Amino acid sequence: MANSNQTPLITPTVPRVLLWTLGGLLGGLVGCLAAVFLTEWIKLLLTTVSELGTLRLLLLPLLGVSLAVLILFGLGRGQPVQTVAPHQGASPSRWGSLINWYSFPRDIARADLTGDVVRASGVEERFPWHLAPLRALAILSTVGLGAPMGTESPAAHIGVATGAWLGNAFPSLRPLVRPLAIGGGAAAVSALMGIPLVGSFFMFELSQRRKVPTTPERVAAMLAGGLVGWRINLAFHLQLIRLIVPSPDPTNLWNGVAAALFIGAISGSITALTGEAIYWARGWQTRPAIRLLIGGIAMLLLAMLIGWIATPAAAFGPGGAAIVWAETMETTPYHLLAVALLRAMATTAAVLAGGCGGVFVPFLAIGDLSGRVFATALGIEGNLAGSAGSAAAIAGGYRLPLTAAAMVLGVGGSQGAQLTCLATVMVGALTGLVTARIVSQLSSFIRNNQP
């Protein structure tokens, strides 16, 4: 006779995990396709306008940000002041009224795409999916016309929005709205990067900013979505982001250790400072026209400086052209560092002006350029230095160390080069944390001692 106290083979948790896995797969499929469609349009627009003359390369990013501001604050209705307060309101049920599709609540920063994903973590049914079409237009104009902003936050935002919409629009799927949204976001980022765990860890680490409990169900949805996005990337041979493979190995152990320490420190600190500046810029409460005027002038001046030091193309777009310039042109470490710092300031200026895009890809470029500063001095290849710097930038500036580690392992490369990059991720994460803490304490000290 069987023991009545024996634990059953199937617990109540198992069916829920399977259900959330199914939701993650479905949300991942639909959300990923929506995000890839938008990203392909951005890529096509970038390719087209990048062939124009120098003057247009300087002016088009400003035009793109201006259009984004017009879309978000002209077509958009509601409180015009951007804030970074937690989102408390619920999304409209089913299809919602027409006004909900362009009315921003007071507590939504209109261009803050990552902020929406973070605020909705754990309560994905509240995600403002009804505002995604308006945001998609702003994203297309900002990133597609060459502003120094990226596509990962747009991809995650559109992926989560599509999954949340799917769960809200169809009553039969409403119990699955959370895994649908989680899977959509993870799949969109994985399809963008071509690495399955990058999307999964991206969604996990963003959810930890709100300390959302890590349950087996959430893990299942994240992993399912990441897998779907990766498979779609392979199936359609997508080349949405160019990642540099780190190779060859450092010539000796000392060079590898030195690379991890120096590259991790410079890349982590620069991007952490940039991240703090971006946070301030996004939360600055003033009229959109004033933000656009100040940020737009700064964008134009910084683009001219980058064009003078490097090439006009190095100032255009998320940062891929700047990396190509660093790979193909013989230049000095001082020029590399100058372009890295100027691009960091340009991305901050674009955020200040009201641009709608991400900072993941710009941070990759800033980290790549920062890492190459030490390539010659440390006796390592430029590609290894650039890859290590990029990984450290994501760990230190974006504060996503697990995502950075997954990116390093997913990109591949020689074993010694991968170990160097992983060590750089740890140094970059620690440096970024210390830098952000120092900046925060200094800012608090200045505020508290103002007359």
Side-chain angles (χ1 to χ4, degrees):
M1 183 175 179
N3 188 350
S4 59
N5 295 324
Q6 184 177 1
T7 302
L9 294 178
I10 299 179
T11 66
T13 302
V14 174
R16 281 183 55 83
V17 169
L18 294 177
L19 196 63
W20 277 56
T21 301
L22 180 62
L25 292 172
L26 178 59
L29 177 62
V30 179
C32 176
L33 291 176
V36 167
F37 178 78
L38 176 62
T39 307
E40 287 287 4
W41 270 101
I42 291 173
K43 184 179 176 181
L44 177 61
L45 189 55
L46 273 173
T47 302
T48 302
V49 300
S50 64
E51 298 175 354
L52 301 176
T54 300
L55 181 59
R56 293 180 183 179
L57 287 183
L58 293 174
L59 295 178
L60 279 174
L62 182 56
L63 173 61
V65 172
S66 301
L67 288 174
V69 172
L70 181 62
I71 290 167
L72 294 177
F73 292 92
L75 294 178
R77 294 289 182 266
Q79 171 57 246
V81 177
Q82 291 188 340
T83 69
V84 288
H87 174 51
Q88 299 295 337
S91 296
S93 60
R94 191 74 174 175
W95 300 97
S97 63
L98 179 61
I99 194 172
N100 285 326
W101 290 81
Y102 58 92
S103 294
F104 289 84
R106 177 182 176 82
D107 59 357
I108 287 184
R110 300 188 186 185
D112 188 5
L113 303 174
T114 302
D116 279 348
V117 178
V118 173
R119 280 188 290 269
S121 294
V123 285
E124 282 79 12
E125 65 275 6
R126 295 181 179 177
F127 191 87
W129 53 266
H130 56 291
L131 297 172
L134 209 61
R135 288 230 175 87
L137 290 175
I139 292 165
L140 187 62
S141 66
T142 299
V143 186
L145 291 180
M149 303 192 76
T151 51
E152 92 299 329
S153 284
H157 189 277
I158 296 300
V160 174
T162 306
W165 163 77
L166 201 62
N168 279 280
F170 299 95
S172 59
L173 295 177
R174 195 157 296 166
L176 294 177
V177 64
R178 293 188 182 182
L180 286 168
I182 294 168
V189 177
S190 288
L192 194 71
M193 305 294 292
I195 303 171
L197 287 180
V198 167
S200 303
F201 279 127
F202 184 87
M203 294 299 294
F204 167 73
E205 291 188 289
L206 289 187
S207 70
Q208 291 309 293
R209 296 181 182 180
R210 291 194 73 246
K211 298 181 179 176
V212 177
T214 305
T215 62
E217 293 88 347
R218 292 188 69 87
V219 171
M222 291 174 191
L223 292 176
L227 182 63
V228 168
W230 172 63
R231 292 302 303 174
I232 288 178
N233 181 286
L234 291 181
F236 291 97
H237 305 287
L238 301 177
Q239 298 291 333
L240 301 177
I241 290 181
R242 176 176 173 263
L243 295 174
I244 296 175
V245 178
S247 62
D249 292 344
T251 54
N252 54 58
L253 179 61
W254 161 246
N255 283 355
V257 172
L261 291 175
F262 284 98
I263 294 176
I266 189 172
S267 182
S269 58
I270 289 176
T271 50
L273 288 171
T274 308
E276 292 296 312
I278 287 172
Y279 182 82
W280 169 84
R282 196 172 312 272
W284 184 36
Q285 297 186 16
T286 188
R287 297 178 62 183
I290 296 176
R291 294 170 61 95
L292 178 60
L293 179 62
I294 297 175
I297 292 174
M299 282 177 59
L300 185 58
L301 293 176
L302 290 166
M304 293 172 64
L305 277 174
I306 295 172
W308 177 61
I309 294 173
T311 64
F316 186 80
I323 296 177
V324 171
W325 166 77
E327 286 180 308
T328 57
M329 300 294 292
E330 288 192 18
T331 186
T332 68
Y334 303 104
H335 285 80
L336 290 167
L337 181 59
V339 174
L341 292 172
L342 289 172
R343 281 204 59 94
M345 290 186 283
T347 297
T348 305
V351 172
L352 176 62
C356 194
V359 298
F360 191 105
V361 181
F363 276 11
L364 288 177
I366 295 166
D368 183 285
L369 295 169
S370 301
R372 291 176 190 273
V373 168
F374 292 106
T376 302
L378 299 177
I380 60 176
E381 281 290 326
N383 282 348
L384 172 56
S387 297
S390 293
I394 301 306
Y398 217 140
R399 301 181 191 176
L400 301 174
L402 294 179
T403 303
M407 182 180 71
V408 169
L409 296 174
V411 168
S414 58
Q415 185 176 14
Q418 283 189 316
L419 290 174
T420 302
C421 290
L422 289 174
T424 310
V425 166
M426 292 188 289
V427 175
L430 179 60
T431 303
L433 181 63
V434 171
T435 302
R437 185 67 58 84
I438 292 173
V439 171
S440 178
Q441 291 180 350
L442 181 61
S443 177
S444 297
F445 176 79
I446 293 174
R447 286 197 304 268
N448 294 334
N449 288 274
Q450 285 181 344

